[in-house]
C-alpha cells in the first residue's frame, strides 16, 4: 500500500460513482468514455483549477489545505466516514501516525465488562487495530469462533471472515459482511498507512481471496456503528441479532461489539442456550 496511490484511487472511485445528470451536466452516457464526472467537471464543482485537481488525482506530492479537502468532499458527496478517510489519505507524510508496534492491551475493567455480558447471555468482544480480536467472552466464542484457541497472529476478524470456511456457513449474508469487513479495514489503512502488520495482512488476504482483492480495489470505507446480523449456527440454528459497536474510552482504537436480541424472542432464547452451553464448557474445563 502506498499512500499517494490510495489517495489517487479513492478520488477516482468516488468521482466515477457520480451521475452527471444529478449535477445538471449535459451529454449522453454514450458520449462519455468512463463512468462518472470528468475531472474538469469535478474541479469546477469544487472550485479548484483543473490542473491542480489532475495533479492531486495523479497522486503527486501535494499538500491540499483543509478548505480544498472540504470542497472536494462536498463535490464528491462524501459521507462523514469517507470525508475523514479523504483527510487521512491527504495528510503529508511527516504528519502520519507512526506504526504502533506495541500490542494493544485490554484494561482489566473491560475484561470484567465482558464477563458481565456473559452473565446476561450477550456475546461481546473487543476489536483493535487491523481488526485484531483482543478479547472475547464465552458467549461470543460459542456464537462466532473460539479466537482464544487460535495462534495469536490468527486472532483477527478479517482473517476469520475470509480464510475460515466456517464463516461462510455461519453467515447467510456472508458477501455483505465480508464487503463491510474490507471497508472497515480500509479505514485502518488510511489511518496507519505505514503499519507493516496491516500491510502483511492485506497482502495475505489479497493472495488467498479473490473476493478480498476485488472489494479492496473498490476503496469503500465504513465506520462500525450498529445494525443487525443473521446467523446459521450449528447448535441453535438460525437467529438474528442486533449489534452495537462502542469505542472504548481508554483507547479510541479499541471497539466493543455487543450482540443482543429482543427480550422473550426466539433469538434471545437461542443466545441463552449458547450461553448455557458456554457456561457448562467453562465449568467442565475448570473441573478438568
Amino acid at each position: 500500500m502506498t499512500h499517494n496511490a490510495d489517495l489517487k484511487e479513492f478520488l477516482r472511485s468516488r468521482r466515477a460513482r457520480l451521475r452527471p445528470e444529478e449535477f445538471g451536466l449535459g451529454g449522453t452516457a454514450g458520449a462519455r468514455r468512463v463512468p462518472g464526472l470528468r475531472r474538469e467537471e469535478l474541479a469546477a464543482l469544487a472550485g479548484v483549477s483543473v490542473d491542480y485537481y489532475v495533479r492531486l488525482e495523479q497522486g503527486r506530492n501535494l499538500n491540499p489545505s483543509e478548505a480544498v479537502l472540504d470542497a472536494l468532499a462536498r463535490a464528491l458527496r462524501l459521507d462523514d466516514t469517507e470525508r475523514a478517510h479523504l483527510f487521512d489519505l491527504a495528510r503529508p507524510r511527516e504528519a502520519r501516525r507512526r506504526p504502533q508496534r506495541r500490542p494493544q492491551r485490554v484494561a482489566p475493567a473491560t475484561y470484567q465488562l465482558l464477563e458481565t455480558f456473559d452473565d446476561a447471555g450477550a456475546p461481546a468482544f473487543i476489536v483493535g487495530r487491523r481488526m485484531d480480536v483482543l478479547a472475547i467472552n464465552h458467549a461470543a466464542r460459542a456464537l462466532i469462533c473460539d479466537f482464544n484457541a487460535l495462534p495469536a497472529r490468527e486472532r483477527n476478524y478479517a482473517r476469520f471472515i475470509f480464510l475460515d470456511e466456517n464463516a461462510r456457513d455461519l453467515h447467510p449474508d456472508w458477501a455483505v459482511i465480508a464487503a463491510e469487513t474490507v471497508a472497515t479495514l480500509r479505514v485502518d489503512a488510511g489511518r496507519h498507512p505505514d503499519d507493516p502488520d496491516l500491510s502483511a495482512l492485506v497482502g495475505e488476504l489479497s493472495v488467498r481471496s479473490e473476493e478480498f482483492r476485488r472489494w479492496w480495489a473498490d476503496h469503500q470505507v465504513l465506520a462500525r456503528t450498529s445494525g443487525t446480523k443473521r446467523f446459521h449456527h450449528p447448535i441453535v440454528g438460525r437467529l438474528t441479532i442486533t449489534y452495537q459497536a462502542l469505542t472504548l474510552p481508554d483507547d479510541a482504537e479499541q471497539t466493543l461489539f455487543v450482540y443482543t436480541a429482543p427480550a422473550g424472542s426466539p433469538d434471545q432464547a437461542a443466545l441463552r442456550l449458547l450461553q448455557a452451553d458456554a457456561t457448562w464448557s467453562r465449568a467442565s474445563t475448570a473441573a478438568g
Side-chain angles (χ1 to χ4, degrees):
M1 297 178 294
T2 60
H3 219 47
N4 281 346
D6 283 341
L7 175 60
K8 173 177 66 176
E9 295 303 327
F10 182 69
L11 288 172
R12 286 179 177 176
S13 67
R14 301 308 94 171
R15 178 168 60 85
R17 74 179 182 181
L18 298 175
R19 297 167 59 87
E21 56 269 25
E22 294 177 356
F23 296 85
L25 299 174
T28 64
R32 293 176 178 267
R33 292 178 295 177
V34 295
L37 298 184
R38 298 186 176 99
R39 287 171 172 172
E40 58 269 25
E41 293 168 339
L42 183 62
L45 288 170
V48 299
S49 72
V50 176
D51 179 66
Y52 183 89
Y53 179 75
V54 168
R55 286 186 289 129
L56 186 63
E57 195 176 279
Q58 288 176 343
R60 301 188 192 180
N61 292 324
L62 300 177
N63 184 17
S65 67
E66 184 172 327
V68 167
L69 294 176
D70 272 329
L72 286 173
R74 288 193 298 272
L76 290 166
R77 297 185 172 178
L78 303 185
D79 62 26
D80 290 343
T81 303
E82 292 170 324
R83 181 185 179 279
H85 188 63
L86 173 64
F87 273 70
D88 282 336
L89 295 179
R91 282 176 302 168
R93 189 173 190 87
E94 59 272 14
R96 301 176 195 171
R97 302 181 188 180
R98 296 185 179 275
Q100 300 288 332
R101 300 299 297 169
R102 290 184 298 176
Q104 289 178 287
R105 303 295 184 189
V106 175
T110 304
Y111 279 109
Q112 295 173 6
L113 182 61
L114 291 180
E115 291 180 1
T116 300
F117 285 123
D118 249 337
D119 295 336
F125 56 101
I126 310 293
V127 170
R129 292 187 299 270
R130 301 176 295 275
M131 304 194 77
D132 288 342
V133 178
L134 305 178
I136 183 168
N137 71 1
H138 289 274
R141 290 162 65 185
L143 174 64
I144 306 170
C145 171
D146 189 357
F147 284 98
N148 289 358
L150 299 176
R153 70 173 298 272
E154 296 181 14
R155 297 172 191 172
N156 179 276
Y157 187 77
R159 291 187 91 262
F160 166 71
I161 289 295
F162 282 96
L163 303 184
D164 191 325
E165 288 300 322
N166 293 324
R168 296 176 186 260
D169 296 331
L170 183 65
H171 297 291
D173 306 309
W174 180 86
V176 173
I177 291 172
E180 290 177 348
T181 298
V182 175
T184 302
L185 200 61
R186 264 288 179 194
V187 174
D188 281 349
R191 291 173 180 167
H192 302 288
D194 300 318
D195 183 346
D197 293 328
L198 177 56
S199 296
L201 174 64
V202 170
E204 179 185 11
L205 296 179
S206 297
V207 168
R208 300 180 62 179
S209 171
E210 187 276 333
E211 294 105 326
F212 181 89
R213 286 197 305 275
R214 183 173 71 251
W215 286 319
W216 188 256
D218 288 341
H219 287 264
Q220 299 294 332
V221 290
L222 177 70
R224 301 164 288 193
T225 53
S226 62
T228 61
K229 281 187 178 181
R230 296 193 304 152
F231 289 85
H232 187 192
H233 195 273
I235 295 177
V236 298
R238 297 187 180 277
L239 69 155
T240 300
I241 61 90
T242 298
Y243 73 87
Q244 295 186 69
L246 309 171
T247 301
L248 295 182
D250 53 349
D251 186 345
E253 293 187 307
Q254 291 187 26
T255 303
L256 167 65
F257 285 86
V258 182
Y259 291 177
T260 58
S265 67
D267 296 322
Q268 187 192 51
L271 289 180
R272 290 287 188 183
L273 179 59
L274 280 175
Q275 188 265 349
D277 183 70
T279 300
W280 181 87
S281 299
R282 179 173 41 177
S284 298
T285 301

